[in-house]
Amino acid sequence: MLREALSVQGTDCGCDRGLLREEIRGLILKADVERRLVYSVIAEPDTVDAQGDVMSAETIEEMAHNFLLRPRKFDNRHDWRGLDAAPVESWIEREATVLLGERIKAKSWVFGVKVFADHIWHKVLS
């Protein structure tokens, strides 16, 4: 969901240093304008994601842990092309809760990102 929240698939994003063809939108829990931080739910258990997949809570937790164990680079919907943003926070929400006014399922992966590129930040703001 983070890639969707950043709308990195937008036609004028240029995140892959080329032209992108589609735009995907998603829920941004919070955007801190002064610090260029964006918070979003990356994955929710038993929920269809942007690729049409449904993941278990165990799979989501393993994915979140593996992301932090390996080089933490963002790509564009799994295309392996880097984005000009970096992770700053990552956690598994252990209990169902309301976070920044949104209902979050237990075992959801929540993520915070620092956006460096102006073209990506303009997408967040729009």
Side-chain angles (χ1 to χ4, degrees), residues 4 13-14 27 32 34 41 47 62 69-70 95 98 101-102 105 114:
E4 291 80 9
C13 177
L27 177 65
D32 182 326
E34 288 183 24
V41 174
T47 302
E62 181 179 350
L69 289 170
R70 294 189 173 93
E95 308 264 338
V98 174
E102 295 294 328
K105 288 184 178 180
K114 172 83 170 183

Side-chain angles (χ1 to χ4, degrees), residues 64-101:
H65 292 173
N66 285 337
F67 179 81
L68 293 176
L69 289 170
R70 294 189 173 93
R72 293 169 297 280
K73 296 183 179 181
F74 292 115
D75 64 24
N76 191 5
R77 294 190 82 202
H78 310 298
D79 70 359
W80 302 101
R81 297 175 188 167
L83 300 178
D84 199 8
V88 294
E89 295 185 52
S90 175
W91 72 92
I92 300 293
E93 194 63 55
R94 297 297 171 193
E95 308 264 338
T97 188
V98 174
L99 182 62
L100 301 168

Side-chain angles (χ1 to χ4, degrees), residues 1-2 4 26-27 29 40-61 63-64 91-93 95-99 101-111:
M1 290 174 76
L2 179 63
E4 291 80 9
L27 177 65
L29 294 174
S40 185
V41 174
I42 296 291
E44 291 181 301
D46 307 317
T47 302
V48 178
D49 69 11
Q51 288 81 34
D53 298 322
V54 177
M55 292 181 278
S56 68
E58 295 78 19
T59 299
I60 291 170
E61 186 171 48
M63 182 175 62
W91 72 92
I92 300 293
E93 194 63 55
E95 308 264 338
T97 188
V98 174
L99 182 62
E102 295 294 328
R103 297 176 60 84
I104 307 295
K105 288 184 178 180
K107 305 295 184 173
S108 292
W109 182 11
V110 184
F111 210 75

